[in-house]
Amino acid sequence: MPRAAFLPELIWPYDSTTGDSHSVDRRDDPAGWERAAYADTPVTTQWDDGAHEGPDPGRVPTSSASMPSVVTRMLAALEVFPGARVLEIGTGTGWNAGLLAARLGDERVVTVEIDEDVATRARAALQGAGLHSEVICCDGRDGWPKGAPYDRIIATAGVREVPVAWLEQTRPGGLIVAPWGTHFGHEDALVRLTVAEDGGASGPFLSAVGFMKLRAQRLDWDLFDHHVGAYPGDAEESTTSTAWAELGERRLYGGTAFILGLLVPDCTHLVNERDGVTTVWFFDRTAGSRAWASVVFRPDGERATVYQSGARRLWEEVVRALEWWRAAGSPPLTSFGLTVTADGAQRPWLGDPAHPVPAVTVRE
Ligand SMILES: C[S@@+](CC[C@H](N)C(=O)[O-])C[C@H]1O[C@@H](n2cnc3c(N)ncnc32)[C@H](O)[C@@H]1O
């Protein structure tokens, strides 16, 4: 399945060295476009849910062709077999559905996409490749019950909760592969769940990935305005000996931030770097709470200054989570896994499902 056959003329390949995306238009630069189409990089194909027009990048990338090495990693994890029936959530360009359809037969693959224009393009691209898999425009949170039961469900948009509908629509023994993450930050991990007879599902995290999220499960970024009035106002001030690097943020997708998110419940963190000073913000997402913390790391190596406000001491929670993780031998992300119960509870574990990860909370 040629990836190029699924891409529009105007694309925004991601440059991993700068972290930026710049447009490439096939009509102006066919060779550059072809190079981008076959580079091992994600290619944004839509911004801002389609509201953005023109060659400049928009605000939020909302549809893309995923990075080819991640696509193949996910397909390998899916362990399809001849005759398997597969539901894909997040059609995007249709390339991944095309790969599955080419392997399994187009009638074995159904793919759902929330955006009408994106779905229409993907349907045309699949047909252009001689494939007639069903492309349904709907909210993938509900799966696609008409086509159930499936042997495999693969999500190519990130989730913060695996919907119960996906469990219900997968045969016992079937697999669900999805990028899963908490609200702590953007870092996700690929999870592979095996669906059990009791309607629940469980399985390991396989590797760190970054994905755009299901529309209803995106992070909202207005937390600062909602939580922080005067700064630092009446926040409690202290210092910390924990260094910024210990949070693992210098290595994108190193796994530490993902693991901290498993331990510190209902918390989002944001990083602000200016003039060599890194300020890390933490916000309590519990309904009604406006608790926040900020930690100011300066390049001089002095102890960082901590401000904490509200009923939770979020920075202390993060430090305790780090301590818990270290006491456990700093296990990598792949030592953790997830159980989703038949009623939808999401329970991360370490080692095996009998050892749930504790929720670390520190009150004022
Ligand atoms: C990373 S792209 C998918 C890449 C795609 N599989 C490919 O091969 O090009 C994620 C897609 O998920 C779609 N999406 C987001 N939320 C969704 C939802 N709730 N239901 C279905 N699709 C959704 C986005 O519109 C976007 O097209």
Side-chain angles (χ1 to χ4, degrees):
M1 275 299 113
R3 191 179 188 229
F6 290 81
L7 298 179
E9 312 264 48
L10 180 60
I11 57 176
W12 292 265
Y14 177 73
D15 182 342
S16 59
T17 49
T18 61
D20 295 330
S21 298
H22 296 289
S23 64
V24 183
D25 194 321
R26 188 183 207 167
R27 292 154 292 201
D28 305 331
D29 180 9
W33 186 94
E34 192 79 9
R35 262 197 315 281
Y38 290 108
D40 189 20
T41 46
V43 170
T44 296
T45 49
Q46 185 203 59
W47 297 91
D48 304 333
D49 295 331
H52 175 83
E53 282 177 15
D56 291 334
R59 218 170 54 83
V60 183
T62 48
S63 191
S64 67
S66 308
M67 188 169 172
S69 56
V70 173
V71 171
T72 52
R73 207 193 303 161
M74 291 178 74
L75 289 175
L78 197 63
E79 293 181 355
V80 294
F81 54 89
R85 186 158 173 73
V86 182
L87 171 67
E88 182 198 33
I89 314 286
T91 313
T93 62
W95 184 52
N96 188 53
L99 291 166
L100 281 163
R103 167 62 67 92
L104 297 169
D106 50 8
E107 77 291 355
R108 311 302 294 167
V109 178
V110 185
T111 177
V112 302
E113 166 60 52
I114 199 161
D115 187 289
E116 183 84 55
D117 291 344
V118 172
T120 303
R121 262 207 100 262
R123 201 175 288 119
L126 282 163
Q127 285 173 4
L131 300 166
H132 298 85
S133 294
E134 271 188 287
V135 180
I136 316 280
C137 183
C138 68
D139 189 339
R141 270 191 310 175
D142 305 328
W144 181 244
K146 272 195 197 152
Y150 303 100
D151 299 292
R152 302 285 185 264
I153 293 185
I154 179 169
T156 58
V159 293
R160 297 203 158 88
E161 281 181 14
V162 175
V164 171
W166 298 2
L167 309 188
E168 291 168 350
Q169 292 170 31
T170 306
R171 274 184 221 287
L175 300 179
I176 298 173
V177 170
W180 186 94
T182 65
H183 284 279
F184 192 69
H186 281 303
E187 202 170 291
D188 297 333
L190 210 57
V191 72
R192 180 175 54 200
L193 303 171
T194 303
V195 176
E197 290 286 349
D198 69 1
S202 194
F205 292 115
L206 304 176
S207 59
V209 285
F211 262 85
M212 47 187 72
K213 308 294 181 282
L214 279 196
R215 271 196 192 176
Q217 298 190 7
R218 284 181 192 152
L219 260 187
D220 37 18
W221 293 113
D222 61 353
L223 293 160
F224 186 89
D225 290 342
H226 178 262
H227 283 65
V228 187
Y231 178 71
D234 57 2
E236 184 184 278
E237 185 177 334
S238 59
T239 61
T240 181
S241 58
T242 302
W244 167 224
E246 294 177 63
L247 270 68
E249 296 269 353
R250 294 261 176 252
R251 248 185 80 216
L252 194 59
Y253 304 123
T256 313
F258 173 82
I259 292 165
L260 291 176
L262 301 180
L263 286 144
V264 182
D266 300 318
C267 175
T268 290
H269 85 296
L270 294 177
V271 182
N272 185 326
E273 297 198 61
R274 192 179 298 163
D275 303 331
V277 176
T278 303
T279 305
V280 190
W281 293 90
F282 300 89
F283 303 101
D284 184 9
R285 301 182 59 86
T286 315
S289 170
R290 295 173 65 189
W292 60 267
S294 75
V295 189
V296 185
F297 298 96
R298 296 195 178 75
D300 55 17
E302 286 293 303
R303 287 169 73 96
T305 310
V306 180
Y307 300 100
Q308 298 184 94
S309 172
R312 276 175 79 182
R313 290 290 174 256
L314 291 169
W315 175 247
E316 280 166 45
E317 293 183 10
V318 170
V319 171
R320 287 211 195 156
L322 260 177
E323 286 165 1
W324 178 91
W325 178 56
R326 287 190 183 134
S330 307
L333 170 158
T334 47
S335 298
F336 292 83
L338 180 72
T339 295
V340 182
T341 61
D343 57 5
Q346 319 269 312
R347 304 220 169 102
W349 42 260
L350 173 60
D352 62 71
H355 295 94
V357 170
V360 180
T361 47
V362 181
R363 299 275 156 201
E364 184 191 7

